[in-house]
Amino acid sequence: MKFTAAKGKSNPRVIPGFGLTLGTTLAFLSLLILIPLASVLVYSFSLTPTEFWEILLSESVVWSFVTTIGCALIAALINCVFGTILAWTLVRYDFPFKRLLDGLIELPFALPTAVAGITLSKLFSDQGFFGAPLARIGIRVSYTHLGIITAMVFIGIPFVVRTVQPVLSKLDPQFEEAAYCLGASPARSFFRVVLPELRPALLTGFGLALARGIGEYGSVIYIAGNSAKEHTQVSSYIIMQKLNYLDYEGATAVALVILILSFGLLLFTNIIQIRQARRTGMR
Amino acid sequence: MRKQSKTGKIVLITISTLFVVLMLVIPLISVIANSLSKGLSFYLQSITTKTVLSAIKVTLIATGIALLVNTVFGIIASWLLTRYEFKGKQVLAALIDIPFSVSPVIAGLSYIMMFGRMGWASPLLEALDIKIVFAIPGVVLATIFVTFPFVSREIIPVLNAVGKDEEEAAAMMGAKGFTIFRKITFPHIKWALIYGMILCAARALGEFGAVNALSKTRGETFTLPLEIDALYLSGSSDSIVSAFAVSSLLVIVAVVILVLRSIFEYRGRKTQNTKEARVED
């Protein structure tokens, strides 16, 4: 009796401990993550719609959304280009110090954001190592939108490299060689043969880098300048500023918009991954 | 045929190396260079002030507790998500990953909205005389939030790859849950677990945004990144150098973590490869 139950599909949970692990997981998740996040949601419902829109449509908040989303989009696109080049180089070529280069990609994950922030800000300031030569040709990076984009490129690059790299290493070079033998140029074979295969991974990496850029605080605020006049305040900075002035209504309203954006992006990357898993599973 | 793509190869390797050197290596070196720009004695003085020592203590407390909580959670959650089939599994997996895509500032805000003066849990905390916001427990909670999925994220793929046949066999032969875990599951996930814990610790040490919202007293509840922020923003050239000196401590930790990471990943890959080879045989 016991044997058939275990052998058949009628009892998929042979391993003990389902109830215990489910209960513990749900308790941790609810207490530490879901209930606190729901508190933001509940609090924002206590605002009337007029109050809510008044906060969101104030000049500094609207500009912070434009700045944050715009810079994060540009940075994520730059990261897709360089991330693909880096992943390609790391997968397809052998060269000295390759493992070192591969390890360094993860630096933005390991380096605290505040450290990255003050360092980039100093490097790109008018007297900095990069900033001084750039200033001579009239390009200012620190305390401008360029600075925000630079910081977002810095923190976003590992997301793209690490999602593209495994897909690329599983891709058989035979296909490109076939394309090449049929007379396609290397560029053409890349764009027509390799890129379509990389698209789901690239989109996932793009989504992750974009989400990180939109939520980023530590590495951005020092290089951003945070000037309301020049529209270099990011949304995270606005939330923190409102919190410091004890303006909880304002902080939650702005946070709600950013939360919805990040959940949208989370959903987007998850759907891509599930679809990709199904596609490869079917093969 | 390979000859033609040689220029392409050189160009791409050059672009990659340049990108990594300019965006990653030079910033790393510049932290150290800046921190030592006023001499070694100034450096040592900067990293041993009272506020820095207190910040080191708070950072270690928060990191230690976050590591413990998230390791326990990570093991339990990844066991649940890979060893059983149930409805809503995908949703649960996505929910666990939430902290990856939520801005740390919002993590801090959400604890304020729950435990702060306006928060719905504040009467309860007052009755029990517990202070969370602007105190050490708040710093610890914020650190747990941002590092929540790190351990489970590393273990889940390994457990999925290994499959659950061995555990099911053990269960049918009458082994208890914990024995199964200790004898069968744990040896498989050992390296992934250590790697996940390293990542978790790294992120916990450097967390800034979430902690910034929940900690306001320098010298008492400030962590190292907050101390760096305070030093840097006070603006005098001395304190900026001090900020880089304190940063250099975290940079050293980051470099150690990168080295450990590449060692563990290499080991993980090696065991994985031998396993795959065995399967192919």
Side-chain angles (χ1 to χ4, degrees):
Chain A
M1 192 58 201
K2 202 179 169 190
F3 185 65
T4 46
K7 203 181 170 194
K9 294 268 186 246
S10 57
N11 182 10
R13 286 178 208 136
V14 193
I15 304 166
F18 176 71
L20 182 73
T21 50
L22 181 68
T24 325
T25 305
L26 286 179
F28 271 73
L29 183 67
S30 320
L31 284 174
L32 291 168
I33 311 291
L34 299 181
I35 296 176
L37 280 178
S39 307
V40 175
L41 203 67
V42 170
Y43 189 82
S44 64
F45 283 144
S46 69
L47 297 170
T48 64
T50 3
E51 283 173 321
F52 186 75
W53 288 114
E54 210 170 293
I55 294 165
L56 288 188
L57 294 176
S58 72
E59 214 190 319
S60 65
V61 173
V62 171
W63 274 111
S64 86
F65 289 142
V66 174
T67 305
T68 311
I69 297 168
C71 290
L73 272 174
I74 295 170
L77 284 174
I78 294 174
N79 275 332
C80 280
V81 174
F82 282 101
T84 311
I85 293 176
L86 275 164
W88 179 271
T89 313
L90 289 172
V91 170
R92 289 294 162 88
Y93 303 138
D94 267 319
F95 54 96
F97 303 115
K98 181 174 150 170
R99 258 188 83 184
L100 182 68
L101 202 70
D102 190 49
L104 278 168
I105 300 287
E106 220 96 329
L107 182 71
F109 284 160
L111 200 66
T113 53
V115 175
I118 64 171
T119 311
L120 290 175
S121 169
K122 192 109 202 279
L123 272 177
F124 284 98
S125 73
D126 288 348
Q127 291 92 41
F129 189 77
F130 294 147
L134 286 173
R136 228 167 287 139
I137 53 170
I139 301 173
R140 289 191 61 224
V141 179
S142 276
Y143 319 126
T144 66
H145 290 106
L146 263 182
I148 301 177
I149 295 170
T150 308
M152 287 176 175
V153 168
F154 176 86
I155 46 137
I157 190 72
F159 288 102
V160 180
V161 178
R162 291 300 183 236
T163 43
V164 173
Q165 212 175 2
V167 181
L168 201 55
S169 66
K170 272 186 205 137
L171 194 68
D172 199 333
Q174 269 183 3
F175 296 117
E176 293 146 57
E177 271 161 31
Y180 183 82
C181 291
L182 292 170
S185 68
R188 193 177 147 90
S189 77
F190 175 79
F191 283 108
R192 300 298 290 272
V193 177
V194 181
L195 203 59
E197 288 294 321
L198 292 184
R199 208 172 50 199
L202 258 178
L203 276 174
T204 309
F206 177 80
L208 290 172
L210 185 63
R212 180 70 201 263
I214 287 174
E216 186 53 27
Y217 178 66
S219 54
V220 170
I221 52 162
Y222 303 100
I223 202 169
N226 307 318
S227 146
K229 231 194 240 159
E230 286 168 42
H231 312 308
T232 51
Q233 296 178 324
V234 293
S235 300
S236 302
Y237 176 81
I238 297 270
I239 297 172
M240 197 60 95
Q241 196 191 32
K242 287 189 184 299
L243 264 180
N244 285 339
Y245 288 127
L246 303 180
D247 174 10
Y248 294 118
E249 289 87 357
T252 31
V254 179
L256 190 69
V257 175
I258 297 293
L259 261 183
I260 292 170
L261 267 178
S262 10
F263 281 136
L265 281 169
L266 184 70
L267 196 69
F268 169 75
T269 49
N270 268 319
I271 289 174
I272 291 173
Q273 269 163 354
I274 292 170
R275 275 175 59 181
Q276 176 64 5
R278 256 186 225 149
R279 236 182 77 190
T280 44
M282 260 160 62
R283 275 188 194 165
Chain B
M1 177 194 152
R2 282 274 143 212
K3 224 172 199 174
Q4 246 194 342
S5 59
K6 201 148 197 193
T7 30
K9 174 181 168 176
I10 292 168
V11 169
L12 289 177
I13 291 178
T14 314
I15 294 175
S16 300
T17 314
L18 265 180
F19 184 89
V20 171
V21 168
L22 290 179
M23 285 302 290
L24 306 176
V25 178
I26 291 182
L28 199 65
I29 295 169
S30 94
V31 177
I32 308 289
N34 275 314
S35 70
L36 292 169
S37 63
K38 289 203 186 229
L40 192 65
S41 65
F42 184 85
Y43 176 85
L44 291 174
Q45 214 179 321
S46 307
I47 58 170
T48 49
T49 61
K50 231 172 107 186
T51 47
V52 172
L53 291 177
S54 141
I56 291 176
K57 201 181 89 187
V58 175
T59 308
L60 289 178
I61 293 173
T63 304
I65 299 177
L67 192 58
L68 185 72
V69 170
N70 289 336
T71 303
V72 172
F73 170 78
I75 292 172
I76 294 175
S78 41
W79 170 281
L80 174 75
L81 289 172
T82 56
R83 290 301 171 254
Y84 309 110
E85 295 304 322
F86 55 95
K87 257 192 193 153
K89 197 162 126 169
Q90 293 277 7
V91 178
L92 188 61
L95 288 177
I96 291 173
D97 274 348
I98 282 181
F100 272 134
S101 46
V102 166
S103 166
V105 176
I106 295 179
L109 171 75
S110 62
Y111 283 118
I112 291 181
M113 294 335 263
M114 185 168 168
F115 298 120
R117 208 166 36 85
M118 332 271 308
W120 56 267
S122 89
L124 182 76
L125 294 178
E126 255 167 49
L128 295 169
D129 201 24
I130 304 173
K131 210 168 173 291
I132 290 184
V133 171
F134 307 138
I136 301 281
V139 174
V140 173
L141 280 174
T143 311
I144 294 175
F145 187 105
V146 293
T147 54
F148 195 64
F150 274 79
V151 176
S152 60
R153 194 164 228 206
E154 294 305 319
I155 304 178
I156 288 173
V158 176
L159 282 181
N160 269 332
V162 170
K164 55 186 176 188
D165 296 351
E166 293 174 41
E167 277 105 340
E168 280 177 351
M172 276 188 272
M173 286 187 255
K176 291 254 162 49
F178 189 69
T179 318
I180 299 177
F181 172 76
R182 196 164 48 89
K183 296 247 167 145
I184 296 172
T185 316
F186 184 73
H188 284 308
I189 60 168
K190 201 166 54 189
W191 294 115
L193 177 67
I194 295 174
Y195 178 41
M197 286 170 74
I198 290 172
L199 288 182
C200 177
R203 183 66 209 274
L205 286 173
E207 178 43 35
F208 177 59
V211 177
N212 195 2
L214 285 160
S215 167
K216 296 290 168 210
T217 339
R218 188 172 173 189
E220 275 177 41
T221 61
F222 264 27
T223 59
L224 280 175
L226 292 175
E227 179 68 21
I228 293 167
D229 175 66
L231 285 168
Y232 189 78
L233 291 184
S234 65
S236 75
S237 71
D238 270 6
S239 68
I240 289 179
V241 175
S242 300
F244 279 105
V246 180
S247 299
S248 73
L249 297 176
L250 291 171
V251 165
I252 293 167
V253 176
V255 170
V256 170
I257 283 163
L258 285 183
V259 172
L260 287 177
R261 188 203 90 89
S262 81
I263 292 173
F264 284 123
E265 206 190 51
Y266 183 66
R267 263 178 201 268
R269 226 182 262 163
K270 227 166 74 180
T271 39
Q272 199 100 333
N273 284 347
T274 44
K275 241 171 246 153
E276 271 165 25
R278 224 185 294 153
V279 170
E280 274 165 26
D281 286 348

